[in-house]
Amino acid sequence: MTASWTGTLAIPEPGDGIPPTAPEAIDAALATLRERAPVWIDTDVPARLALLEELVDDTLASAPAWATAAAAAKGIRSDSPLMGEDWISGPVMVLRNLRLLQRSLGQIVETGRPQPPSLEVAANGQVVARVFPSDTVDQLMFPQFTGEIRLRPDVPLDRAEARIGRIHREGTVSEPTVALVLGAGNVSSIGPMDALYELFARNRVVLLKMNPVNAHLGPHVAAAFQPLVREGFLRIVYGGAEVGRHLTDHPEVDTIHVTGSDKTYDAIVFGTGEAGARRKAAGERRLDKPVTAELGNVSPVIVVPGPWNDKDLAFHGDNIASMLVNNGGFNCIAARVVVQHRQWAKRRKLLDAVRDSLRGAEPRVPYYPGAVDRWRQFTDAHPSAEWFGDAPDDDHPDRLPFTLIPDLDAHTIDDVAFTTEAFCGVFGEVALDAPRSVADYLEAAVAFCNDTLWGTLSASLLVHPDSLKDPEIANAVERAIDRLRYGSVVVNHWSAVPYGMVSTTWGAYPGAEPTDIQSGTGVVHNTYLLEDVEKTVVRGPFRPPMKPVWFHTHRGAAKLAPKLARLVATGERRQVPGILWQAVRG
């Protein structure tokens, strides 16, 4: 069955939660921000560093209640290892963002600009900034992982150096600006971190609208960010689409950043209904305000054939399954299509390893609105879909099985699994023919991902180190990394890893037109404050010495996550041995 549309399927608003903020309260919040915008611009780097220190303390203090509330709303049992999930994707990420911003601003005070571990010209002439690992703790916690930001090919080194962190340099002129951040409803760190980027990378005061799905976390974010609220640099409001329209059209809002679906972006930029469709078709924007966005993605996982043994297959069965299972599949970078070489003898064994992992996954409550309807659209389209758990019924509407659709047809380019983001616990597998060589397969895989799959946010490649000993395959892998049109490309791990690194950029591949926005425009995180970004590339070991904490099979994540929060907040290295011991036990 083919798709009726592309992008992210419709997501209804929840019917309860924190009441919408009244229009007069919104007007008052924006008036305060307008008044304080010049003050923020005049706040020097030492004063911003002091604010960041306060923010670290308050976020750490708010973390237990924040993470507990997030997990409870998703139906996670208090004794489940999954309790670690919302610690890590919430306050731990925010704490890391704050500390990395502190580092960059401290380097501006000391040297005049942020100092990534390296900023140099690669052999192809492209400027590359190595941004991970940035210290000994990174090396200990993520051994053999590296992260780099590649700038656009036409950017020379002297321009890169001149523009890095420039808004904080003496003599730089910024206009007082009020930014609207429309927060995401799935991962609780997204809205706060988007707000931090507007404040510290773009020099704008922020009105953050919480998404109705996780509006219950707004008070926890407000407590964590109390120093910014106190100074009038941040305001938090609540409401759904109606409040969103009031805000996007408000004359006191200068710029907009949204994390959500392409349909939300279209509604903001072109409008809704027939009039919106006509504007989009004609390329006529409804608003002339700048709009940046991080949207959905049909995220691919490209498997490179190689001499995988049984342990390799088991590890990457968990690896691939975890890319779907995390957060119940309600992630814009959940794995959606596993791409394999039809001629690889171990293709079926890898699929069996994924199935084994899914069978052991803890059932999840489909907390995100409309999940059951979206799941049914995919399973109705693909009767061969395999369920790992019980399907919803009238007596049990609050259950949803993780679902694999194997053997998708690569030639059916308008298949719903290729064109549409399910935003629930569904993914598929497709095999590509390339009988002559692995290099030919990689060429075909890149073309398939770039030209058939919807979205430009992130992609993964899994490649055995022994495969890279073959120069032809090694060259083909590097060509694939270069040519994949995604904002992040990750080798051997989930393509969400750059989101968690924070020093890397997070956002779509540049160049999307507003009329075909795909995964969005602009970047966030990027704590070294680089400009002119093309993509982030992260590489990790094929089988790391410690089980990644984001694996759904990690038994100690709930105990490990609060310790990670304290380590990130305090930097106390004496905590590292205990954390490593817990991590190794996995």
Side-chain angles (χ1 to χ4, degrees):
M1 180 175 172
T2 58
S4 58
W5 66 357
T6 62
T8 302
L9 287 170
I11 297 175
E13 289 186 7
D16 53 11
I18 294 180
T21 303
E24 56 270 22
I26 289 174
D27 292 346
L30 286 168
T32 297
L33 291 169
R34 176 62 63 195
E35 178 184 347
R36 299 297 289 171
V39 180
W40 176 244
I41 288 174
D42 290 338
T43 301
D44 62 18
V45 173
R48 294 183 185 213
L49 283 167
L51 272 174
L52 285 166
E53 190 62 38
E54 284 191 77
L55 288 165
V56 168
D57 292 342
D58 287 354
T59 300
L60 183 60
S62 303
W66 174 347
T68 299
K74 297 176 182 180
I76 295 173
R77 302 188 327 270
S78 60
D79 61 346
S80 169
L82 293 175
M83 286 294 295
E85 187 177 274
D86 284 288
W87 269 93
I88 292 165
S89 65
V92 171
M93 297 299 177
V94 174
L95 286 165
R96 180 168 172 81
N97 197 344
L98 293 166
R99 282 303 189 202
L100 289 173
L101 284 170
Q102 274 188 308
R103 177 180 297 169
S104 288
L105 266 60
Q107 290 169 343
I108 290 170
V109 171
E110 294 170 3
T111 70
R113 70 168 177 83
Q115 298 288 334
S118 69
L119 183 65
E120 56 194 18
V121 179
N124 66 353
Q126 192 170 19
V127 176
V128 176
R130 179 68 62 87
V131 296
F132 189 94
S134 58
D135 58 25
T136 304
V137 173
D138 283 352
Q139 293 172 339
L140 290 171
M141 298 307 301
F142 294 93
Q144 302 172 54
F145 277 80
T146 63
E148 66 184 31
I149 297 173
R150 298 184 179 185
L151 303 191
R152 299 185 189 192
D154 61 340
V155 176
L157 182 60
D158 57 353
R159 174 173 165 172
E161 292 174 335
R163 293 168 71 88
I164 184 170
R166 63 186 171 125
I167 69 158
H168 297 286
R169 297 187 186 183
E170 187 175 345
T172 300
V173 177
S174 296
E175 291 294 324
T177 303
V178 177
L180 168 64
V181 171
L182 299 173
N186 57 335
V187 174
S188 68
S189 61
I190 293 176
M193 290 168 71
D194 289 349
L196 290 174
Y197 197 69
E198 292 292 334
L199 282 155
F200 289 93
R202 293 177 172 149
N203 225 12
R204 302 163 178 168
V205 295
V206 174
L207 189 141
L208 168 62
K209 186 186 83 66
M210 297 296 295
N211 190 290
V213 177
N214 62 4
H216 56 280
L217 299 178
H220 300 288
V221 175
F225 281 15
Q226 182 55 35
L228 293 169
V229 174
R230 179 193 71 218
E231 298 298 327
F233 302 142
L234 172 70
R235 288 291 182 266
I236 300 174
V237 299
Y238 302 88
E242 186 175 347
V243 171
R245 280 192 294 271
H246 177 71
L247 287 168
T248 56
D249 292 354
H250 202 290
E252 293 297 339
V253 168
D254 300 315
T255 68
I256 301 165
H257 179 78
V258 56
T259 298
S261 77
D262 57 309
K263 307 305 181 294
T264 301
Y265 175 90
D266 286 349
I268 293 168
V269 174
F270 300 109
T272 58
E274 292 183 3
R278 285 196 300 271
R279 288 192 198 95
K280 183 177 178 181
E284 297 174 353
R285 296 172 63 107
R286 185 181 69 89
L287 291 175
D288 59 2
K289 301 175 182 181
V291 181
T292 54
E294 188 261 283
L295 309 173
N297 196 46
V298 178
S299 305
V301 182
I302 301 171
V303 180
V304 181
W308 297 31
N309 60 33
D310 289 345
K311 290 183 178 180
D312 299 332
L313 293 165
F315 176 86
H316 285 288
D318 285 341
N319 188 14
I320 293 169
S322 296
M323 299 178 194
L324 178 74
V325 170
N326 183 277
N327 202 26
F330 302 115
N331 286 322
C332 57
I333 34 68
R336 296 299 175 197
V337 178
V338 181
V339 181
Q340 295 213 71
H341 188 194
R342 189 179 301 279
Q343 283 71 35
W344 187 37
K346 296 186 179 181
R347 172 194 166 206
R348 297 294 180 186
K349 287 187 176 182
L350 179 58
L351 272 182
D352 286 342
V354 173
R355 293 181 175 107
D356 287 344
S357 188
L358 291 174
R359 290 187 189 100
E362 184 172 320
R364 302 296 293 266
V365 173
Y367 72 91
Y368 220 87
V372 172
D373 289 340
R374 294 192 298 277
W375 177 82
R376 285 187 171 134
Q377 289 185 59
F378 275 72
T379 54
D380 287 350
H382 290 283
S384 63
E386 302 173 11
W387 306 349
F388 299 86
D390 296 323
D393 55 35
D394 291 340
D395 295 328
H396 303 92
D398 60 344
R399 65 187 185 192
L400 200 62
F402 293 111
T403 302
L404 170 65
I405 308 171
D407 298 301
L408 293 166
D409 183 356
H411 300 291
T412 308
I413 60 173
D414 54 356
D415 191 304
V416 65
F418 300 154
T419 66
T420 310
E421 182 190 33
F423 212 70
C424 62
V426 175
F427 65 174
E429 183 262 356
V430 64
L432 304 181
D433 281 305
R436 292 191 305 175
S437 70
V438 172
D440 284 353
Y441 157 71
L442 278 168
E443 292 286 329
V446 169
F448 173 79
C449 294
N450 283 344
D451 301 333
T452 299
L453 299 185
W454 179 84
T456 58
L457 183 60
S458 58
S460 294
L461 294 99
L462 310 181
V463 54
H464 195 287
D466 285 350
S467 297
L468 297 175
K469 295 176 182 177
D470 181 333
E472 183 181 30
I473 295 176
N475 289 335
V477 167
E478 292 305 315
R479 283 198 306 274
I481 293 169
D482 291 344
R483 291 176 52 235
L484 281 165
R485 295 194 296 269
Y486 291 86
S488 294
V489 178
V490 179
V491 178
N492 288 332
H493 293 276
W494 186 19
S495 59
V497 171
Y499 179 94
M501 284 181 169
V502 189
S503 55
T504 43
T505 52
W506 185 248
Y509 192 80
E513 295 294 330
T515 52
D516 184 21
I517 196 60
Q518 298 274 314
S519 296
T521 178
V523 299
V524 292
H525 302 186
N526 183 29
T527 53
Y528 285 108
L529 308 179
L530 289 147
E531 299 188 25
D532 304 308
V533 170
E534 181 193 50
K535 66 168 68 169
T536 278
V537 176
V538 169
R539 303 172 196 259
F542 185 68
R543 278 176 50 198
M546 298 179 290
K547 181 180 291 186
V549 71
W550 56 87
F551 271 34
H552 78 92
T553 54
H554 199 296
R555 297 168 298 174
K559 294 180 180 179
L560 183 59
K563 296 178 181 178
L564 284 173
R566 181 158 294 278
L567 173 64
V568 172
T570 65
E572 295 173 352
R573 295 188 182 183
R574 66 174 183 269
Q575 300 179 65
V576 171
I579 291 174
L580 290 175
W581 172 245
Q582 186 73 54
V584 168
R585 295 177 67 189

